[in-house]
Amino acid sequence: MSFIHDDFLLQTKTSRRLYHEFAASEPILDYHTHLPPAQIATNHRFADLAEMWLAGDHYKWRAMRANGVAEEFCTGGAEPYDKFLAWAKTVPHTLRNPLYHWTHMELKRYFDIDELLNEDTAPGIWRDANEQLHQGYELTVHGIFHKFQVRGVCTTDDPTDNLTYHRRIADSSLTTGVFPTYRPDRVLEIDQTKQFNTWVDKLAEVSDVHIVSFADLLSALQSRHQFFHEVGCRLSDHGLSHAYADFCDDHQAAAIFAKARTSGAVSPAEQSQFATNLMLHIGRWNYEMGWTMQLHLGALRNANAGLMEKVGRDVGGDSIGDWPQAETLSRFLGRLDSEHSLPKTIVYNLNPADNYMLATMIGNFQDGSVAGKIQMGSGWWFLDQWEAMQWQMNALSNQGLLSRFIGMLTDSRSFLSYPRHEYFRRCLCDLLGTDVERGAIPNDDSLLGPMIRNICYGNAREYLGLGV
């Protein structure tokens, strides 16, 4: 039997039926990604499997380094085939890592290649995949969206981005909706004075606001928020170690800003106050505009300083952090709620030790205005694998409403990642099918069918309001 077969990972008869009848055919709304808008706008055709599969994929780079592969074959200047061969040699060592599943699902779903990748099969797979990449429409970026029924994609964009490619996409014939996401992380890093001031100067240029004061900074940021809205944005996103909750007024934030603009040293306490103040302003703007706020909490970023210095950010030198989350998150959400300015909010947790905390925290701020207004986001980054996705759904099920969950996203830089939605859907149906067969929930398709379809697609469509 093929490794990736129709009933892959579905352990019970009921799981298999639920998946094939209710989950498999649902379209995709990939509402948080790091896909490059330029490649979407130009309907990019990949030169070879190495470009399509390995460029920007820090998951694979981490595994390759762990397997003794030199950096030249990960982020360096090795020839494309040599990089691919280094990955092929690594794949057999990834057994029980989700990379093993994803690799073979991607080969099967994109190229109909039904072989296990290893050093021996690598030459033939490289040849067959590249032949397909060079032919027709199906494996161009737009062809991939069509093949996987991708109705909508949200990219991740700095407020200083001119969104030129997004505007080109909107004017094109592409039927997949592509939306920017407002990601102002750089403005929170005021303690990194040199980089902060360079970023503020760029913000001033693109917003046409002469930024001298903190009020000017807020005006420029809000101007970009409005501009993003006009280009279709309906979400902000924030990559934080923990929620900021060191409250200060605008006068205090202005003093911290003035210090940074004159190259003064900003203390960690001042940085936290400044970031808290800005996050509250952004939360209020989101509420006023009907946006959804995403908080990605708990990543210890750039833990390997040497790798960061040598190669840069987002190359696989990050890990799960262990900050206390409950009190600061409660205070931050509570402040916006007390002002009647709490927007729809998705909170993504990276430390599984905090799953039950977060599952109970979101219940504190549901207000009856929107079903599932405060969401426990899907397992992400290190937790978007089978075991951790079930941990997340179990915590949400036991403390909230799984039926209102807005489901999976890829959080990926790769157009080869769409089988991760299939992976999640198989996980969901295996969880529910197993429950049915042990008598924990009714074997009732009128309950289970709509729930599964909504978690796969319908809930996200309704919740985000992107019109796709």
Side-chain angles (χ1 to χ4, degrees):
M1 177 183 285
S2 301
F3 180 52
I4 307 300
H5 54 83
D6 286 349
D7 296 330
F8 178 60
L9 297 176
L10 299 169
Q11 300 176 75
T12 69
K13 180 179 178 180
T14 305
S15 301
R16 293 188 283 272
R17 182 178 61 78
L18 294 176
Y19 173 75
H20 292 299
E21 290 189 15
F22 301 116
S25 63
E26 285 299 296
I28 289 172
L29 176 48
D30 204 17
Y31 55 90
H32 175 68
T33 80
H34 296 273
L35 295 174
Q39 291 187 342
I40 302 174
T42 59
N43 191 22
H44 184 69
R45 183 186 295 279
F46 297 93
D48 51 48
L49 190 53
E51 182 198 2
M52 189 183 198
W53 219 11
L54 300 175
D57 194 335
H58 52 79
Y59 289 79
K60 292 187 177 73
W61 297 339
R62 284 171 67 94
M64 291 164 74
R65 294 183 193 118
N67 197 43
V69 174
E71 195 64 32
E72 177 185 6
F73 300 94
C74 300
T75 63
E79 290 298 315
Y81 179 72
D82 293 333
K83 288 185 174 183
F84 169 75
L85 185 59
W87 170 239
K89 292 177 180 178
T90 298
V91 168
H93 297 281
T94 66
L95 281 173
R96 301 203 80 243
N97 185 301
L99 284 166
Y100 197 83
H101 287 162
W102 298 344
T103 293
H104 293 100
M105 291 178 76
E106 288 157 12
L107 287 173
K108 178 67 173 177
R109 299 296 180 240
Y110 286 81
F111 305 103
D112 198 28
I113 292 175
D114 201 12
E115 293 182 89
L116 299 181
L117 179 59
N118 53 50
E119 183 177 2
D120 294 333
T121 61
I125 288 174
W126 173 260
R127 182 188 62 250
D128 292 348
N130 287 341
E131 285 179 359
Q132 293 182 55
L133 284 175
H134 298 155
Q135 298 170 4
Y137 169 80
E138 189 173 63
L139 291 176
T140 64
V141 166
H142 293 185
I144 289 167
F145 286 161
H146 178 76
K147 179 181 180 68
F148 289 94
Q149 296 189 80
V150 182
R151 298 282 177 81
V153 165
C154 295
T155 61
T156 301
D157 310 275
D158 191 279
T160 63
D161 195 303
N162 60 21
L163 302 184
T164 296
Y165 291 114
H166 279 276
R167 287 179 285 175
R168 284 178 57 182
I169 295 164
D171 291 337
S172 74
S173 60
L174 179 64
T175 57
T176 299
V178 181
F179 310 94
T181 297
Y182 186 84
R183 175 84 174 237
D185 288 0
R186 299 287 80 82
V187 76
L188 306 183
E189 298 172 353
I190 195 170
D191 53 330
Q192 301 177 31
T193 309
K194 182 177 180 180
Q195 297 93 319
F196 175 80
N197 283 321
T198 299
W199 188 90
V200 171
D201 292 342
K202 185 176 181 181
L203 175 67
E205 180 181 352
V206 299
S207 64
D208 199 24
V209 174
H210 184 50
I211 301 177
V212 176
S213 67
F214 180 64
D216 297 332
L217 177 69
L218 289 178
S219 177
L221 285 169
Q222 190 167 18
S223 171
R224 299 307 290 171
H225 195 276
Q226 177 63 40
F227 171 68
F228 270 54
H229 186 87
E230 292 167 359
V231 185
C233 178
R234 295 297 182 270
L235 299 95
S236 73
D237 184 47
H238 312 273
L240 310 174
S241 59
H242 58 279
Y244 286 107
D246 290 324
F247 303 112
C248 73
D249 60 26
D250 284 355
H251 178 75
Q252 292 168 292
I256 298 167
F257 178 73
K259 180 188 289 190
R261 289 298 273 170
T262 56
S263 299
V266 173
S267 70
E270 289 172 322
Q271 184 274 331
S272 184
Q273 288 180 307
F274 182 81
T276 303
N277 185 284
L278 275 181
M279 285 297 299
L280 289 173
H281 280 290
I282 294 165
R284 294 167 189 140
W285 302 338
N286 287 348
Y287 179 80
E288 291 168 5
M289 301 298 284
W291 285 20
T292 298
M293 179 170 61
Q294 299 175 97
L295 304 178
H296 281 87
L297 303 180
L300 178 61
R301 299 176 187 272
N302 308 310
N304 184 335
L307 184 65
M308 167 72 172
E309 183 177 353
K310 178 181 177 182
V311 184
R313 293 174 178 264
D314 304 319
V315 296
D318 315 290
S319 62
I320 293 172
D322 60 354
W323 294 274
Q325 298 285 355
E327 184 176 356
T328 54
L329 181 59
S330 175
R331 291 172 64 202
F332 175 72
L333 297 177
R335 174 61 68 91
L336 288 172
D337 186 65
S338 70
E339 299 175 3
H340 306 291
S341 297
L342 180 61
K344 292 180 292 185
T345 301
I346 310 169
V347 187
Y348 304 90
N349 172 49
L350 195 57
N351 189 334
D354 292 323
N355 277 348
Y356 269 79
M357 177 280 293
L358 185 55
T360 57
M361 182 66 70
I362 66 170
N364 297 335
F365 297 99
Q366 309 289 8
D367 61 12
S369 63
V370 176
K373 177 180 176 178
I374 313 300
Q375 286 277 326
M376 181 180 184
S378 63
W380 69 292
W381 203 338
F382 301 108
L383 304 184
D384 61 354
Q385 30 81 2
W386 191 271
E387 181 178 55
M389 289 191 298
Q390 290 206 344
W391 288 342
Q392 184 267 349
M393 288 189 280
N394 281 330
L396 177 57
S397 298
N398 280 295
Q399 301 298 329
L401 301 180
L402 180 65
S403 62
R404 293 300 186 180
F405 177 35
I406 61 172
M408 180 61 173
L409 47 90
T410 61
D411 189 30
S412 175
R413 291 166 172 78
S414 172
F415 292 95
L416 271 178
S417 293
Y418 285 108
R420 294 188 196 177
H421 280 267
E422 175 188 340
Y423 191 66
F424 165 81
R425 293 172 183 188
R426 289 177 182 272
C427 184
L428 169 67
C429 292
D430 191 66
L431 185 69
L432 294 174
T434 300
D435 279 349
V436 167
E437 296 207 3
R438 67 186 180 91
I441 58 177
N443 188 9
D444 184 343
D445 285 359
S446 68
L447 281 172
L448 295 169
M451 177 180 176
I452 291 167
R453 287 182 171 138
N454 284 335
I455 293 171
C456 291
Y457 173 69
N459 285 345
R461 178 192 59 198
E462 184 74 18
Y463 180 85
L464 297 171
L466 294 170
V468 294

